[in-house]
């Protein structure tokens, strides 16, 4: 059985590095990360992890969510 906490932490780090390039929508992040083998549920948990640590802002713009770093 896979250690889920480790996978979520790894994914959070990857998301953080992607967001250093600029804000992304949830769809954009999922597209990038799914190509790298990350699952959609782990991606969402990792975004929650980063939000809980106050590293990202998650904004809703009409029908899409935008994720950006607070202090890159």
């Amino acid at each position: 059985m896979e250690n889920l906490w480790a996978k979520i932490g790894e994914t959070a780090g990857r998301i953080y590095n992607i967001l250093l390039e600029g804000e992304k929508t949830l769809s954009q992040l999922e597209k990038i990360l799914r190509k790298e083998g990350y699952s959609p549920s782990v991606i969402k948990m990792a975004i929650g992890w980063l939000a809980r640590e106050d590293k990202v802002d998650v904004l809703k713009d009409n029908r899409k969510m935008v994720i950006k770093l607070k202090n890159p």
Side-chain angles (χ1 to χ4, degrees):
M1 182 176 274
E2 182 180 9
N3 181 346
L4 193 54
W5 286 115
K7 190 65 173 177
I8 295 167
E10 172 194 326
T11 307
R14 182 67 184 109
I15 290 169
Y16 189 90
N17 287 326
I18 292 169
L19 293 176
L20 284 172
E21 300 168 8
E23 68 183 37
K24 300 276 189 265
T25 65
L26 178 59
S27 315
Q28 290 171 320
L29 276 175
E30 285 183 330
K31 185 176 180 181
I32 293 166
L33 292 166
R34 288 177 78 181
K35 287 180 182 176
E36 297 176 12
Y38 294 94
S39 76
S41 60
V42 171
I43 293 167
K44 289 176 181 81
M45 286 186 268
I47 292 168
W49 175 319
L50 290 168
R52 180 73 174 118
E53 288 188 345
D54 206 29
K55 303 283 185 196
V56 296
D57 280 324
V58 181
L59 310 165
K60 187 159 169 76
D61 179 22
N62 292 326
R63 292 181 290 151
K64 59 186 173 184
M65 283 198 212
V66 177
I67 298 98
K68 65 180 190 173
L69 292 179
K70 284 198 169 187
N71 296 312

